[in-house]
Structures are given as structure tokens and as C-alpha cells.
Amino acid sequence: MLMNKVVLCVELENSSQATVQELMELILQDDQDLSLPASARDVFFSLWLVSPMLELQLTSYQRPYHTRQQWMTLLLKYTSASTKHLDKDEPELFLRRNVFYDKQDEMRICDMKILELLYEEAKFNVLKGRYPCDIQDCDVLAGIQARLELGPYNPQIHTAEFFRSKITDYLPDYACKNRWAFLNVSAKPGPEHRLLDRYRNIPTNTIRYKLLRKYLEFCWALPYYGSAFSMGKLKNLQKANMMDKLISKFVEELKQRPSWCEDQVDNFISIPHEDDDVHPITTKRLSSEAYLEEKLKRLSTYYF
């Protein structure tokens, strides 16, 4: 399965013995709609077994069927779920980004099919709250997403009411709340109005490639982009304080490293097309120490 919920079907003579490498070759050879380059087989993407309790990237020599047979053992080893929940956990096989793929190399990708898949995965992580963002950045990303999925803005169709019932399809939960609702202040725009403003400000002639790049450029600037995730819970305050100290130490170490200059960032994420006409996301703010520190603090609060 792909991150956009498209299901890929392949025919195997002996499915129980098929390795990840063999499955990837079949997917790339037989699926004409996907049509990924050969390098995507073992560089850009890999097969993952994913369930609500555990997400596991498989190596090229592993057999997904055998790993599925051992799923209960893996859950007992790597999760703290109760027995009744273990029986109901059913993993699915996904084609996802290779967590070991270098981000600097990813920034140079121009293939539309690969960018589409990377966008779908980044969007999933943004909407699930795995990539914490400022509210205004969430609005910008939501506007780009709306433009990619709905096409050019149409004032007869795309109204605030249109987005109100499906706002969680475009914004993570923490960005969907109207912080002024409890004061009954109607003058402050709700999330659907913020999304609508961002969406209609994107020029109608903006090409799809540029929109995909813009969305990914923001995600590439996040320090936790491309991470593997697992759910966990700290049982006491002492461990939570320890985690905060570890993250604070990490932030201090980052501050000691040479920061990117703006020209270097622009070189990495420049678009080899027309002048940019999408609402800008500034690289200065994304690369600042204060912004990075705030992101990591949010990460510690959200997960720990």
C-alpha cells in the first residue's frame, strides 16, 4: 500500500518465501501507474510493516510473510500493549521512505513520481502531529495541500463552509482549534478561514511540481524530518525531566555547530523552474536557533 491509500497488487508464485528485494522489483516492473525509477528500489523507498502499535522498516533480505508470523513476538518485545490488544493488532505492508536515505540527496530529487510519494508521507506526518509546526506554518502547508488536491481556487465552491466540515483533512488537531472561541469573539478567523486565505492566495498558474517542492522544502527544514516513530509513555516525572534534559543538551550541541547561511539553504532547495510565486516560507526563520529550540521543546512535550 502507498501512503495515499493506493493498493498495489503483485502476483507471486511463492509469497511466503518472497523477500523485500523481490517484492520491490515486482512492484517497479509490473506497476505501470507507479513507474518509479530503478534507484527507488533500494535507495529512496523500502517496505514497512505498519500497525497502530509498531512500525518496522524491513531489510532487503527479510521475508515479510515470516516477519508477519513473528509479529506477536515483536509486539511483546517492543511494546507494552496488553494481550487483548496484541491479538487485534494487524500490520499492513506499506511502501515508505527509506529512513536511512540522506536528506541532502533527497533535496536534489526532481522526479515527479518520487516527489509525489514523499509529499504524501510528509503530509501524513504533518497531519498526525509527528512534525510539529507553528500554527501559521500549518496554515501555509494546508493551503498548498488544498491547491494540490482541489486545483485552483474557485470562489463559488471553495468557501469557509466548504472547509469547515473537513478541516481535519488539512490541519493537525492542535491547529484546528479556534483559540478565541471561548471568548465568543467572532472577528478572529477560525481555522477554515485561515486555510481559505492561504489557499486563494496561491496563483492559479502555479505548476504542480513547484507546489510539491514548496511543501517538501518546509518539511526538509524540520530537524525531525525522516525520523522513524514509535509510541511510548513515560511512567513518572523523573523520567520526563530526564528526557527534557537530554533534549536540552541536544539543542545546546546543535548551537555549537556552524549554522547554514541563507545562500546555502537556497542552493539546496532552489527550484529549476520559473520565479517562485507560492506564498514564501522563510529559510531564515526555519534555520534560526530559537526556532529550532522551540520545535524540539514541542517535540518533547508532545511525545514524552
Side-chain angles (χ1 to χ4, degrees):
M1 184 181 294
L2 304 180
M3 293 303 294
N4 59 1
K5 303 302 181 183
V6 172
V7 177
L8 304 178
C9 298
V10 294
E11 294 184 3
L12 297 169
E13 294 182 0
N14 190 356
S15 59
S16 63
Q17 297 301 316
T19 64
V20 168
Q21 182 175 353
E22 292 169 345
L23 286 172
M24 290 291 288
E25 289 175 352
L26 285 173
I27 291 172
L28 295 175
Q29 291 173 4
D30 297 344
D31 197 290
Q32 298 179 354
D33 294 332
L34 193 58
S35 62
L36 292 175
S39 57
R41 180 179 64 234
D42 48 12
V43 179
F44 302 140
F45 299 100
S46 182
L47 292 182
W48 291 64
L49 274 176
V50 178
S51 79
M53 295 184 183
L54 184 64
E55 301 181 9
L56 184 65
Q57 177 175 324
L58 304 178
T59 60
S60 59
Y61 57 83
Q62 280 185 286
R63 294 177 171 84
Y65 179 83
H66 288 183
T67 306
R68 173 62 186 90
Q69 296 298 103
Q70 301 168 0
W71 196 249
M72 182 74 73
T73 303
L74 294 171
L75 291 177
L76 289 171
K77 183 176 181 179
Y78 295 112
T79 74
S80 57
S82 61
T83 305
K84 66 176 182 179
H85 290 124
L86 295 179
D87 294 335
K88 298 178 181 178
D89 195 57
E90 185 66 34
E92 296 177 320
L93 197 61
F94 275 86
L95 182 71
R96 282 188 174 184
R97 180 187 183 276
N98 181 357
V99 74
F100 299 107
Y101 185 57
D102 187 80
K103 184 167 64 174
Q104 306 303 328
D105 292 334
E106 183 177 326
M107 291 176 177
R108 300 183 178 93
I109 294 174
C110 296
D111 185 274
M112 277 290 292
K113 292 287 186 179
I114 295 177
L115 290 177
E116 291 273 5
L117 293 177
L118 292 173
Y119 157 76
E120 290 291 344
E121 187 164 346
K123 180 185 74 173
F124 173 84
N125 287 325
V126 169
L127 295 179
K128 289 296 183 181
R130 292 180 168 188
Y131 291 170
C133 307
D134 290 337
I135 301 300
Q136 65 226 41
D137 293 333
C138 289
D139 296 340
V140 173
L141 294 177
I144 297 174
Q145 179 189 337
R147 177 64 174 79
L148 284 166
E149 298 177 0
L150 302 175
Y153 168 69
N154 184 338
Q156 304 300 322
I157 300 174
H158 306 128
T159 62
E161 187 63 32
F162 173 85
F163 286 110
R164 186 172 291 118
S165 61
K166 54 186 72 175
I167 193 65
T168 54
D169 293 339
Y170 297 92
L171 290 169
D173 288 342
Y174 62 85
C176 292
K177 299 175 182 178
N178 189 344
R179 290 171 290 177
W180 298 91
F182 70 98
L183 295 176
N184 196 25
V185 181
S186 58
K188 296 294 181 179
E192 64 277 2
H193 292 281
R194 303 196 314 264
L195 166 57
L196 183 61
D197 287 341
R198 297 297 188 179
Y199 175 36
R200 64 187 172 195
N201 285 337
I202 298 177
T204 56
N205 61 346
T206 306
I207 60 176
R208 186 173 184 83
Y209 174 86
K210 191 174 293 186
L211 293 165
L212 291 171
R213 291 284 307 190
K214 266 300 175 186
Y215 196 101
L216 287 170
E217 282 169 11
F218 173 82
C219 295
W220 287 332
L222 299 173
Y224 27 80
Y225 175 80
S227 300
F229 294 88
S230 61
M231 300 303 295
K233 184 184 296 184
L234 293 178
K235 295 183 178 180
N236 57 54
L237 183 59
Q238 182 179 1
K239 289 185 178 180
N241 290 334
M242 179 185 68
M243 184 59 66
D244 284 338
K245 289 179 180 179
L246 288 173
I247 293 177
S248 297
K249 182 180 179 181
F250 174 62
V251 171
E252 292 302 320
E253 290 177 356
L254 285 177
K255 289 181 178 180
Q256 303 303 318
R257 300 180 184 179
S259 58
W260 286 356
C261 66
E262 188 173 1
D263 290 339
Q264 289 174 319
V265 176
D266 288 341
N267 287 337
F268 272 122
I269 63 177
S270 60
I271 301 175
H273 281 275
E274 308 165 297
D275 292 337
D276 189 8
D277 50 11
V278 183
H279 193 283
I281 303 175
T282 60
T283 54
K284 284 184 178 179
R285 181 161 56 84
L286 290 175
S287 58
S288 67
E289 294 175 355
Y291 187 66
L292 179 59
E293 185 171 2
E294 178 63 20
K295 293 293 185 186
L296 289 172
K297 284 182 179 178
R298 289 190 181 195
L299 185 65
S300 65
T301 303
Y302 188 83
Y303 285 102
F304 304 106

